[in-house]
Amino acid sequence: MSTRIYAHYMIETPYNVEHAANVMAGEQSSGTFTRLANETDALREAHGAIVESIEMLDAVDTPSLPMRNDLAPQGHTLFQRARVKLSWPLKNMGPSLPNLVSTVAGNLFELKEFSALKLLDIELPDSFANAYSGPQFGITGTRQLSGISSGPMIGTIIKPSVGLSAAETADMVEQLVMGGIDFIKDDELQANGPHNPLRARVDAVMPIINAHAERTGKKVMYAFNISGDIDEMRAQHDYVVAAGGTCVMVAVNSVGLAGVAYLRRHCEVALHGHRAGWGMFSRSPHVGMAFTAYHKLWRLAGIDHIHVNGLRNKFSEEDDSVITSARACQTPMFESPTAGYQIMPVFSSGQSAAQVGDTYQALGNSDLIYCCGGGIMAHPGGIAGGVASLRQAWQAAIADIPMAAYAREHRELAQAIETFGL
């Protein structure tokens, strides 16, 4: 059993790469800017980080990030890029997510030796799985809660994001459940504001969802946004559960790892993770954190779903990045017999029937939540037509039938193609 933590980085430096990597290792373990008298060889052997490997990449003649002129070594002409793998002994911090982040993604971003540095991936020993329960429901449990045994869960987000009252939200929910939706979520901006308090929203929405379940046997999953202070989140979770809800949502960057982990220990329903603020970590190729590393932290903390954007989305993320993120969610974190901790990727952002074929072809499965706003609401056949068009598009994709051919026998899909294109 491994007792070391591994982290993979992309770096760029005007210094000797090996020297720069050793500075990273020292700064994030036992070292400081100078050797101390009590930093013995035995202590360094026991607690120092190790540079496991260095893979040289290209070099550029200008720094990717701003650097003070006096920080670069005299006479340098190039900024060398490399992939670096570091490792730490588990005993430095124990299986603690907050302290793991301080170690693998702490002060090293600010070190003078680097003109770029990005955390790409982390590999953790099984002791983290023993310390953190991870997702309670994941892919399989979410399907059981929603009654959707196969195919994607078709979902949407309440819009406008803010401004609707609890009663107006409930009116929209009634239209959505009657239209055949599987999943509804609050916007990340709507949690417990004075114009639409969480408990008033639960009181307005859940009777509609419960009555629909009584009539049809299908209980639509509604992700109530309970993001807030820790005690507030626990109380709001309990209120949702008492009303018969099956999902709560948190904006993970806003409530933090400790907040998510605390909520997971108490949680009785699916925990939906929204990554609002993700662009701060991801958008620059030169600094921050790749999704592969980022989402593992939240998986351990206990989320069951997380957003991965969508193909041809309204944001800046490339399609390849979206699919890589979705695959990462579905890939086991630990080897058997330890739990795999797989979670449900959530596709959203400008999605409609138009992206379904490419999404399925690229991902290779339908274990996902496929959220559409305009792709449902702007359909010529209304909400029911929009939902039907998405189901038909996924049926065609899974059966490997060209979308245009399938649309000849499926009116709602034909309308979606005419409205949104392919």
Side-chain angles (χ1 to χ4, degrees), residues 94-112:
S96 163
L97 278 175
N99 293 298
L100 170 71
V101 174
S102 296
T103 298
V104 302
N107 283 342
L108 75 174
F109 293 103
E110 304 158 48
L111 289 169
K112 70 179 183 181

Side-chain angles (χ1 to χ4, degrees), residues 80-102:
Q80 180 66 49
R81 293 172 177 167
R83 289 183 182 270
V84 172
K85 180 179 180 181
L86 303 184
S87 75
W88 293 261
L90 177 64
K91 60 187 174 184
N92 279 16
M93 82 291 293
S96 163
L97 278 175
N99 293 298
L100 170 71
V101 174
S102 296

Side-chain angles (χ1 to χ4, degrees), residues 144-212:
Q144 291 171 347
L145 285 173
S146 64
I148 309 299
S149 60
S150 62
M153 290 179 63
I154 304 300
T156 194
I157 306 99
I158 297 293
K159 298 289 183 180
S161 307
V162 293
L164 297 180
S165 66
E168 289 169 331
T169 303
D171 287 343
M172 182 172 290
V173 168
E174 185 157 25
Q175 296 176 55
L176 288 165
V177 299
M178 294 302 293
I181 204 79
D182 302 325
F183 175 88
I184 308 168
K185 64 174 286 294
D186 285 332
D187 191 86
E188 70 274 14
L189 300 177
Q190 178 59 69
N192 194 30
H195 72 283
N196 193 350
L198 185 282
R199 295 189 179 203
R201 198 159 66 253
V202 172
D203 290 345
V205 165
M206 284 311 303
I208 295 168
I209 289 176
N210 290 334
H212 182 75

Side-chain angles (χ1 to χ4, degrees), residues 242-327:
T246 57
C247 187
V248 293
M249 167 183 145
V250 291
V252 294
N253 293 320
S254 302
V255 306
L257 283 166
V260 174
Y262 173 87
L263 183 60
R264 165 63 179 89
R265 290 192 293 272
H266 183 71
C267 202
E268 298 179 32
V269 294
L271 186 49
H272 186 88
H274 195 289
R275 65 180 191 178
W278 159 241
M280 292 187 294
F281 300 95
S282 66
R283 189 162 187 180
S284 171
H286 308 302
V287 69
M289 191 183 303
F291 184 86
T292 304
Y294 168 87
H295 90 293
K296 287 181 179 179
L297 303 172
W298 303 110
R299 282 169 74 174
L300 271 173
I303 59 168
D304 295 295
H305 323 141
I306 195 168
H307 288 244
V308 298
N309 220 329
L311 299 191
R312 302 189 290 282
N313 57 76
K314 66 181 181 183
F315 297 118
S316 62
E317 190 167 3
E318 298 283 351
D319 287 356
D320 286 348
S321 174
V322 173
I323 296 301
T324 296
S325 297
R327 286 178 181 151

Side-chain angles (χ1 to χ4, degrees), residues 12 24 121 192 355 398:
E12 179 186 288
M24 289 174 68
D121 199 2
N192 194 30
Q355 294 99 324
I398 292 168

Side-chain angles (χ1 to χ4, degrees), residues 335-349:
E335 295 182 1
S336 182
T338 306
Y341 285 36
Q342 291 98 319
I343 59 175
M344 186 84 86
V346 182
F347 283 70
S348 62
S349 174

Side-chain angles (χ1 to χ4, degrees), residues 11-23 56 67-74 76-82 111-115:
I11 67 168
E12 179 186 288
T13 178
Y15 290 78
N16 173 275
V17 170
E18 185 175 351
H19 164 75
N22 282 319
V23 170
M56 302 296 279
M67 290 189 75
R68 278 171 33 205
N69 291 332
D70 62 316
L71 294 185
Q74 288 188 350
H76 85 281
T77 57
L78 292 175
F79 295 82
Q80 180 66 49
R81 293 172 177 167
L111 289 169
K112 70 179 183 181
E113 283 77 12
F114 299 99
S115 53

